[in-house]
Amino acid sequence: MVDNGEPTLLFLHGWGSSKELMRRAFAPVDGWCSLYLDLPGFGKSPNDSVLTTKDYAGIVQLFLQSLDKSSQIVVGHSFGGKVATLLQPKLLVLLSSAGIPVAKPWSVRAKIGLYKALKPFGAKWLRELFVSKDAKGMNEAMYETFKRVVDEDFSDHFASFDKDALLFWGKEDRATPLGCAQKIASLMPNSELVVMDGDHYFFLDKGEEIMKRVKERYEKL
């Protein structure tokens, strides 16, 4: 944490990632109090409880309260974008956020169907063989958490967010396609969408440009 008495900027990583990815993309942010957090179950933050996205938001809020900080600006990537939205910050910054369900390709639907057909046989290797790469190697609690949050429709939460929002998206994103960004932007009354070159992790080499736009937007609030 870097605290210079300036506005608090919180970074929340996506599913299967950690604070180190966000730090790599955005640190340092000169003149701002920058917080990088491992969400429970990722990085160096263990978890053995089944959680919901709302639970994650509550945990993050407790973390901020323990530091006597408020969620003035929250930057959330993918799953972290959903958590960030629930925190209701003064300025919400979404990076290829999850929250708009995307139709699964036929191959994935077929794989899910086969897994369900074989599941009654109870072989322990089945889950690791058929599970999404986003859930491989996780303990049972995190696997159950993944099943709860992976296909959530956050449309109502996006629509009820009436503060300022900046949406940054990679035009070649396949995990959360550009259509998701356009849907979220249409739901948020005070949002701006910025499309950049790159995929789901487009922001890794665009941290400086993104932070410049964030600072410009925040100074106008």
Side-chain angles (χ1 to χ4, degrees):
M1 182 181 74
V2 179
D3 188 348
N4 295 313
E6 297 292 338
T8 300
L9 180 61
L10 173 65
F11 294 92
L12 299 177
H13 61 79
W15 189 271
S17 187
S18 73
K19 66 182 180 183
E20 296 309 320
L21 186 76
M22 305 305 283
R23 194 192 302 274
R24 190 175 109 203
F26 295 105
V29 182
D30 293 335
W32 290 32
C33 173
S34 303
L35 304 177
Y36 303 86
L37 174 67
D38 277 337
L39 294 171
F42 305 103
K44 297 180 180 179
S45 179
N47 176 59
D48 57 5
S49 300
V50 180
L51 302 173
T52 64
T53 305
K54 185 177 179 180
D55 291 332
Y56 273 100
I59 291 167
V60 174
Q61 191 61 57
L62 288 173
F63 167 74
L64 290 171
Q65 290 174 3
S66 73
L67 299 176
D68 196 25
K69 300 292 182 184
S70 61
S71 51
Q72 294 165 306
I73 310 148
V74 183
V75 181
H77 173 234
S78 199
F79 172 68
K82 294 194 298 183
V83 178
T85 301
L86 293 181
L87 292 173
Q88 292 285 309
K90 186 175 182 180
L91 175 59
L92 174 65
V93 182
L94 298 181
L95 310 174
S96 285
S97 179
I100 300 297
V102 178
K104 293 180 174 62
W106 180 88
S107 59
V108 174
R109 297 199 305 272
K111 189 175 180 181
I112 293 172
L114 182 58
Y115 171 69
K116 288 181 177 179
L118 295 175
K119 189 177 179 181
F121 294 98
K124 292 182 179 180
W125 52 266
L126 277 175
R127 193 183 90 181
E128 287 302 304
L129 181 63
F130 286 94
V131 76
S132 161
K133 65 179 181 180
D134 290 326
K136 283 187 180 295
M138 292 185 165
N139 63 33
E140 192 62 30
M142 287 304 295
Y143 178 59
E144 291 301 318
T145 296
F146 173 75
K147 291 196 297 182
R148 288 189 178 192
V149 307
V150 65
D151 289 324
E152 287 176 310
D153 187 343
F154 251 52
S155 296
D156 289 345
H157 294 292
F158 294 136
S160 64
F161 188 85
D162 58 1
K163 302 179 178 65
D164 270 53
L166 276 172
L167 283 58
F168 295 93
W169 232 266
K171 65 174 64 173
E172 292 87 31
D173 194 330
R174 296 292 177 267
T176 53
L178 188 55
C180 297
Q182 294 163 341
K183 175 68 178 294
I184 296 172
S186 72
L187 292 170
M188 288 184 166
N190 301 311
S191 65
E192 176 186 352
L193 172 60
V194 180
V195 181
M196 297 179 160
D197 291 332
D199 57 16
H200 195 55
Y201 293 91
F202 72 95
F203 59 91
L204 288 177
D205 61 354
K206 296 179 175 63
E208 186 175 344
E209 180 181 353
I210 290 171
M211 282 299 105
K212 180 181 178 182
R213 287 177 177 264
V214 169
K215 286 187 174 185
E216 289 173 351
R217 184 68 175 247
Y218 186 76
E219 288 170 356
K220 295 177 181 178
L221 298 183

